Amino acid sequence: MATNSDNGTLLVRKEKKAAIKPPPMYHVVLLNDDYTPMEFVVAIIQEYFNKDRETATQIMLKVHRDGKGLCGVYPKDIASTKVELVLTHARKAGHPLQCVMEEA
Ligand code: TYC
């Protein structure tokens, strides 16, 4: 906004930008267990995290080796839905696979 001061000087004030933060993102992570078949985990990663077979296999092997592995990063409601879909699918198939979300 521009205003005139007493001495005729033109003062220009910068408009304040609204402090809009991007929404927090969440990691969706698979956890290892001793019972869920490797092939089932690969299929889950392909189906729910849109990975090709090679990438899905690498993520599954990382989980198997390290105990956990990142499958994707999403806004809160999408991450939460992915976790629920994966858990529902795994329980229906009789596997104890665990899937969690963590703030990125
Ligand atoms: N550890 C499992 C096995 O040996 C395989 C596995 C991988 C399970 C990843 C869960 O998130 C997982 N059959």
Side-chain angles (χ1 to χ4, degrees):
M1 182 201 285
T3 55
N4 281 308
S5 66
D6 293 346
N7 63 12
T9 308
L10 184 67
L11 302 174
V12 178
R13 191 180 334 123
K14 268 198 183 161
E15 296 296 333
K16 284 213 179 82
K17 279 228 181 79
I20 298 172
K21 282 198 239 157
M25 300 293 276
Y26 288 78
H27 289 182
V28 177
V29 172
L30 282 179
L31 305 180
N32 191 36
D33 66 73
D34 292 338
Y35 305 103
T36 304
M38 290 185 175
E39 189 52 50
F40 181 82
V41 178
V42 171
I44 286 281
I45 296 168
Q46 286 187 260
E47 178 168 350
Y48 295 102
F49 302 101
N50 307 314
K51 306 298 188 193
D52 61 35
R53 189 170 172 78
E54 291 67 36
T55 304
T57 301
Q58 284 171 10
I59 294 170
M60 182 280 295
L61 287 173
K62 191 206 181 290
V63 178
H64 181 68
R65 256 189 277 112
D66 302 345
K68 65 196 289 200
L70 178 64
C71 293
V73 184
Y74 308 96
K76 192 176 197 173
D77 53 344
I78 296 176
S80 169
T81 299
K82 299 259 181 205
V83 168
E84 287 312 312
L85 290 172
V86 167
L87 293 179
T88 297
H89 188 149
R91 292 306 166 270
K92 277 189 179 146
H95 301 310
L97 180 64
Q98 286 295 340
C99 182
V100 298
M101 57 192 274
E102 304 171 342
E103 191 165 351

